[in-house]
Amino acid sequence: MNQLDLFAAEPEEPPAPPVPAAPARRYLTDLPPAPTATPATIRTLRSVAPSKPKSRHHRPSTRDPHAHAFEVAEAVSYAWHHNQGGEDIAIPIGTVATLALWPLRGPDAYLGADWWLSLSDQDLMTAFRECWARWWISRPDLIDRAAPLHRWLDDEEPPARRIKAVRAVTEAALTRGLLHRTSSADAEVRSEADIMGALLAVLRSKGSSDALAEVHTPPGVAEMMARVLLLDAPLEPGMKFDEPAGGTGGLYRAAAQVMRERGINPHDFGWCLTDIDPLAAAGAAVNALLWDLGPHVLIACGDTLLDGNLVAKAVQEARESIDRRDRAHAQAVMLAAIRKVETLLGEVA
């Protein structure tokens, strides 16, 4: 497997389908524009699916979704610490986030667990990088916010101990049925539990949680609140929700589920979330993709009481992320064209 190369020459293939134009923004005009699709966005990520299911079975837990999320988190925590992964909990959380975001969806997607576990160390790291690269092309605003969960992949020569611990985390998450929870084609199924929140709660020490004044809203309480507030509320497209201390987005998960029960599309609403903890904000960015909250999501990171207008700052950061993506894509197209011309000239010569 080769690493995703944005600057590689285009292979000979049928013309790509036309890029859909960005829809006119009717609502939420104060939020950054939804990222426009690029040809690279709609190109299928190179991946190798197993030709035959292997003998290993990855059965879903029979417990309720929230208990299952904590079951996965506990297994991940044990695997990470048992293999002396270190104090940086962003690495095991980012490992699980990568597996959850892998684009293969559908009723048989869980069989991809065998493929993941068959990869060499180098190919495993390459697949992780390609997953984040793909999502950065389509949602640079959220992937840049999730940087604490994938920044460690920038290390071209990671320590052997880290790779061993990452592989142990990968196996623990997959064999506990993570893909059964996250690889469904139905966003409602993927939104049944908050895997990122469970990981953060289990992996973070009590002292760190106390220092950040973290209080995780129990999923049952979040669902009850969402039903009380939204079940009969007059929800109109264009409305915005703003959570100034949102954690990994548990309240938004519950709200989106209530909307779907009512036949309302979460894509028609604005979701603004702020949290002081960079890891929680990163987890919320991952969840926004996993739960398919739509194009109007804004994640801010900072102290709501001390840092002023964090939403305005997050809007600017999102615009800058999209601009960087667009510049990188334009440069890639230009370099690919130059390479093609050089190839043609070489053939003529």
Side-chain angles (χ1 to χ4, degrees):
M1 175 182 282
N2 296 318
Q3 185 171 350
L4 181 64
D5 186 356
L6 295 177
F7 303 102
E10 297 282 348
E12 294 296 329
E13 60 182 12
V19 177
R25 176 65 63 84
R26 294 177 56 197
Y27 312 109
L28 311 167
T29 55
D30 56 330
L31 295 184
T36 305
T38 69
T41 306
I42 55 181
R43 200 171 292 140
T44 303
L45 179 66
R46 296 193 302 271
S47 62
V48 182
S51 57
K52 295 181 180 180
K54 297 184 179 180
S55 59
R56 184 183 286 109
H57 297 289
H58 308 280
R59 300 184 184 279
S61 172
T62 57
R63 303 169 67 182
D64 70 84
H66 307 304
H68 184 205
F70 275 90
E71 176 185 300
V72 172
E74 292 284 359
V76 164
S77 178
Y78 177 83
W80 177 253
H81 293 299
H82 184 71
N83 286 274
Q84 301 178 339
E87 297 180 358
D88 189 357
I89 63 173
I91 297 177
I93 297 176
T95 298
V96 177
T98 309
L99 299 171
L101 288 176
W102 190 251
L104 186 62
R105 305 284 187 211
D108 296 327
Y110 73 94
L111 295 175
D114 287 309
W115 174 73
W116 279 111
L117 297 177
S118 72
L119 295 178
S120 67
D121 291 345
Q122 180 179 355
D123 284 349
L124 183 66
M125 295 297 101
T126 297
F128 280 12
R129 295 185 185 106
E130 289 196 356
C131 182
W132 290 102
R134 174 194 185 273
W135 278 110
W136 183 78
I137 290 171
S138 59
R139 288 305 302 267
D141 51 330
L142 294 178
I143 296 308
D144 282 351
R145 179 61 68 199
L149 301 183
H150 58 79
R151 190 180 291 120
W152 56 277
L153 289 167
D154 294 341
D155 190 347
E156 293 292 338
E157 296 183 2
R161 186 176 67 178
R162 179 194 298 172
I163 294 180
K164 178 184 176 184
V166 166
R167 183 173 289 283
V169 165
T170 299
E171 182 171 0
L174 294 175
T175 55
R176 293 308 190 283
L178 173 71
L179 296 186
H180 287 278
R181 188 65 56 202
T182 62
S183 66
S184 172
D186 187 349
E188 187 171 355
V189 175
R190 299 198 304 272
S191 304
E192 288 179 340
D194 180 3
I195 298 287
M196 294 294 102
L199 286 165
L200 197 58
V202 170
L203 283 163
R204 172 155 281 160
S205 68
K206 184 179 186 302
S208 297
S209 297
D210 291 344
L212 291 167
E214 287 185 339
V215 179
H216 295 273
T217 304
V221 174
E223 291 168 357
M224 180 185 67
M225 293 172 62
R227 290 186 175 281
V228 169
L229 294 173
L230 302 179
L231 196 56
D232 298 315
L235 298 176
E236 298 293 337
M239 293 175 62
K240 289 188 297 184
F241 300 95
D242 189 0
E243 173 57 89
T248 54
L251 287 173
Y252 281 174
R253 181 198 65 79
Q257 292 294 74
V258 172
M259 287 182 177
R260 292 183 177 111
E261 287 180 16
R262 294 181 56 182
I264 298 173
N265 190 348
H267 287 208
D268 294 333
F269 297 81
W271 306 89
C272 297
L273 180 147
T274 303
D275 200 88
I276 192 173
D277 175 19
L279 281 183
V286 170
N287 280 336
L289 297 171
L290 193 60
W291 300 337
D292 193 25
L293 294 183
H296 312 305
V297 178
L298 191 66
I299 310 294
C301 185
D303 190 327
T304 304
L305 298 178
L306 298 178
D307 294 340
N309 192 347
L310 286 170
V311 172
K313 180 181 177 181
V315 168
Q316 181 60 32
E317 291 171 344
R319 292 183 190 277
E320 292 171 356
S321 294
I322 296 170
D323 288 344
R324 279 195 298 272
R325 188 282 309 271
D326 291 344
R327 288 195 299 270
H329 178 255
Q331 292 170 358
V333 171
M334 180 177 296
L335 289 175
I338 291 173
R339 287 185 179 182
K340 285 183 177 180
V341 171
E342 291 176 341
T343 300
L344 290 174
L345 290 176
E347 292 175 353
V348 170

